[in-house]
Amino acid sequence: MFDVAVFGSLFLTLFVIMDPPGITPIFLALTAGRPAKVQKRMAFQAVCVAFGVIAVFGVLGHQILDYLHVSVPALMIAGGLLLLLIALDLLTGKTDEPQQTKDVNVALVPLGMPLLAGPGAIVSVILAVQKAHSVTTQLSVWTAIIAIHVVLWLVMRYSLVIIRIIKDGGVVLVTRLAGMMLSAIAVQQIINGVTQVIQNS
C-alpha cells in the first residue's frame, strides 16, 4: 500500500525547502530578456537538472559524500557561498548585461542547482531514502520527490504570464527583490552550515 504519511511529510518538507512560490521572482529575474519559448524550455531544464541531482544523491548520497570526504555542513556552506555570489550579481544589475547572461544556461546553474537541488533538499532526500526500509515507503518517498518537481515546473512554466503584466520596469524591480531574497537565503544557508559544524565539534 501507498504510505500517505511518508509522502505527505517529505512533500511538505521539500515544498518548504525548495519553495516553489519563492523561486518565481528568481526564475523571472534570471531568465529576463529571453523569448518566452526559451524561458519555458529553461523551466523544464531546471526541473530536470534538479531531479537528476536529487535522484543521484537519493540513491548514492552517503557514498558520494564519504568518497569525497565532504560533510553535510560543508555542502551547505559551499552552496550558500555560490548563491551569495549570484545574489550579488542580481543586486548590482550585472544580469542586465546581455553578454554575461544570454549565452549562459542559468537553468543548470543556479536554477537547477543549487537553488532547487540545494543542500537542504539533498540532505532531506538522503535521510528519507535511508529511513525507507520497505518497498511501500520507498515508493512513497520517490513519488513525493517526483510530485514536488512537477509542482516546481508548473509554477515556473506559468510564472511567465507575470512578465506580460509587469513589463520591463517590473522585471528590473523583481530582479532587485530576487537578489535581496536570494542573498538572505544564502546567508541563512551559511549560518545553518556553520551552526552544524559548531554543534558537531
Side-chain angles (χ1 to χ4, degrees), residues 15-39:
F15 188 91
V16 170
I17 294 172
M18 301 176 89
D19 191 14
I23 201 67
T24 301
I26 299 172
F27 171 74
L28 292 176
L30 291 173
T31 61
R34 293 175 172 85
K37 185 177 180 180
V38 174
Q39 289 176 313

Side-chain angles (χ1 to χ4, degrees), residues 87-165:
L88 291 175
D89 279 349
L90 290 175
L91 284 170
T92 56
K94 289 184 179 179
T95 54
D96 295 335
E97 300 175 22
Q99 64 268 29
Q100 290 195 10
T101 59
K102 293 291 189 285
D103 298 327
V104 176
N105 191 352
V106 296
L108 307 181
V109 176
L111 278 175
M113 182 179 181
L115 277 176
L116 298 181
I122 289 172
V123 172
S124 297
V125 168
I126 290 175
L127 294 176
V129 171
Q130 187 180 24
K131 293 176 183 177
H133 300 298
S134 67
V135 175
T136 301
T137 51
Q138 284 282 353
L139 177 63
S140 303
V141 164
W142 287 102
T143 303
I145 293 171
I146 293 171
I148 191 62
H149 283 85
V150 170
V151 170
L152 285 165
W153 174 74
L154 289 173
V155 169
M156 289 191 292
R157 166 69 173 74
Y158 291 102
S159 67
L160 300 177
V161 178
I162 299 173
I163 293 180
R164 300 179 194 146
I165 300 172

Side-chain angles (χ1 to χ4, degrees), residues 174-192:
V174 167
T175 300
R176 300 299 181 268
L177 290 173
M180 291 180 60
M181 292 168 55
L182 195 56
S183 61
I185 293 171
V187 171
Q188 186 60 57
Q189 195 162 288
I190 294 170
I191 291 172
N192 291 344

